């Protein structure tokens, strides 16, 4: 694993180890397995950032479940959420189903709010959210997040699916901007 990862002249340094990510993911999976025992939830993975977390989380889920993906884009190549969220479409029927949205990180919460509102119109039985990371100080919405892996300070992070200008997603751990 690199000690410093550079993107567009900016330097990122190690922040959360792969082993810590794995432990948090395992804790979350255990809670979901217990809370949804006997149910058949639909996991809705928010592209692209959640690919790594979602893949690792789902391999620990022992429920009879489905996987749906939805694309959402808010950052562009900047380091702050633009506030405008572009949501893709999905054609699976989620009426009367228990939906669990999988996010890599919640920053302002605007992406989740838009997804949540869009899903609500399709009358699922329930909607919950699981996220690996959350920045509580940045939250601008009232969306309740039941499953949070780790709370972090409002710093810009990449790796394990998260990007800066589409770079850094492949890093096996989380890196933070060296300010
Ligand atoms: C990131 C991240 C979340 C969202 C969080 O996605 O994956 O979906 O931003 O920010 P928010 O809480 O302020 O809305 P991004 O728009 O960068 O797309 P990506 O997942 O394809 O990188």
């Amino acid at each position: 694993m690199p000690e410093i990862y550079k993107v567009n002249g900016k330097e990122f340094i190690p922040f959360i180890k792969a082993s810590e990510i794995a432990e948090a993911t395992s804790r979350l999976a255990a809670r979901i397995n217990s809370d949804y025992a006997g149910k058949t939830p639909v996991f809705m993975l928010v592209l692209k950032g959640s690919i790594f977390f979602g893949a690792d989380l789902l391999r620990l889920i022992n429920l009879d479940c489905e996987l749906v993906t939805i694309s959402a884009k808010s950052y562009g190549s900047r380091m702050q959420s633009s506030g405008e969220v572009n949501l893709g479409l999905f054609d699976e029927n989620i009426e009367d189903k228990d939906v669990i949205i999988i996010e890599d990180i919640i920053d302002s919460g605007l992406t989740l709010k838009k997804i949540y509102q869009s899903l609500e119109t399709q009358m699922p039985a329930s909607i919950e959210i699981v996220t690996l990371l959350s920045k509580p100080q940045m939250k601008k919405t009232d969306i309740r997040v039941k499953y949070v892996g780790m709370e972090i300070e409002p710093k810009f992070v990449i790796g394990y699916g998260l990007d800066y200008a589409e770079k850094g997603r492949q890093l096996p751990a989380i890196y933070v901007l060296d300010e």
Side-chain angles (χ1 to χ4, degrees), residues 70-131:
I70 185 167
S71 71
K73 195 99 207 131
S74 68
Y75 272 71
S77 58
R78 291 185 294 264
M79 289 199 161
Q80 285 187 339
S81 180
S82 65
E84 270 179 45
V85 184
N86 295 314
L87 220 55
L89 300 171
F90 65 95
D91 53 15
E92 285 83 356
N93 180 10
I94 58 163
E95 191 175 344
D96 293 331
K97 301 212 172 148
D98 294 303
V99 177
I100 304 172
I101 302 170
I102 303 179
E103 264 290 19
D104 50 345
I105 189 164
I106 299 171
D107 202 321
S108 66
L110 294 171
T111 301
L112 263 183
K113 183 159 190 160
K114 186 140 185 188
I115 294 171
Y116 199 99
Q117 288 172 336
S118 165
L119 296 186
E120 264 185 328
T121 64
Q122 302 186 42
M123 312 298 283
S126 67
I127 308 175
E128 295 292 354
I129 297 154
V130 57
T131 186

